[in-house]
Amino acid sequence: MIIREYRPEDCKEIEKLFYDTVHTVNARDYTEAQLAVWATGTVDSEVWDRSFREHYTLVALDDKLIIGFGDIDKSGYLDRLYVHKDYQRKGVAAAICDRLEAVEAETIITHASITARPFFEKRGYTVVREQQVERQGVILKNYVMKKEKTAEAANRMNTWEQAQSSGPNDENNARKITKEHGK
C-alpha cells in the first residue's frame, strides 16, 4: 500500500469508491433510503476536487487502484474517510488517519457514521453528541466526535516520514509501517 497526496485526476475514481463503500459497508447500519440520499451516485466533481485541493487530502493505493481516501482541513475537521469495500479491516483507514491527524490542530473533529464510530473510538475519539442529519427528507444518524491531540500523533508521523525517506514505492517501507502500527 502506498499513501500519497491527492491529485485532481483521482476525483472520478474517488467518487466511485465513495458510492460503492457507502452502499456496501454502511448497509448494515443504514436503510436503503438513507444510503440512497447519502450517496446518490452523482456528486459535483468540481466542488469535490476544489475541496480536496483546499484540504490535506490523501489517497491509499494498492498498485494503481485507489483503495481509500481521506481529507482534513486546517482547523482539524476530518471531513471524509472512506476505504474500498474489499480493503476493510486491513489498516488502510488507520494509515490514512495517522497522517491526517498529524495536522497542526490541537483537536480533531469528525462527523462519524454509525459504522465508523467504533473505528474512531479505538483511535481515542469521544462522542461530543449524536445528531440527526436530514437529506432530501430522510434522517441519518451520525456522531460529532473529537480527539485531543497528543505527542503520539506526532510520533506516528515521524515514523511514517522515516519509512518514506528511502522511497515512497519501496514495498519494504509499506511492510515496515504496517508492522510498526500493528496492522
Side-chain angles (χ1 to χ4, degrees), residues 26-126:
N26 298 99
R28 70 175 185 247
D29 297 310
Y30 293 90
T31 67
E32 284 188 36
Q34 290 170 320
L35 298 172
V37 297
W38 179 357
T40 63
T42 58
V43 299
D44 187 329
S45 298
E46 287 182 24
V47 170
W48 271 40
D49 176 58
R50 183 173 42 255
S51 173
F52 289 142
R53 286 184 287 113
E54 289 171 354
H55 296 173
Y56 178 49
T57 304
L58 299 172
V59 296
L61 300 132
D62 182 10
D63 195 21
K64 293 181 182 183
L65 176 68
I66 294 177
I67 59 172
F69 72 96
D71 66 308
I72 191 167
D73 71 14
K74 291 177 181 161
S75 74
Y77 176 63
L78 199 162
D79 191 1
R80 291 161 284 217
L81 179 64
Y82 291 89
V83 174
H84 189 286
K85 64 183 177 62
D86 297 334
Y87 289 83
Q88 297 288 309
R89 300 189 183 335
K90 295 184 179 182
V92 177
I96 294 170
C97 255
D98 285 348
R99 296 213 20 216
L100 294 177
E101 290 173 354
V103 298
E104 292 187 29
E106 291 181 24
T107 303
I108 308 292
I109 300 286
T110 194
H111 294 189
S113 67
I114 296 167
T115 313
R117 178 181 171 177
F119 168 81
F120 284 108
E121 286 176 329
K122 286 178 186 168
R123 294 187 65 82
Y125 287 73
T126 57

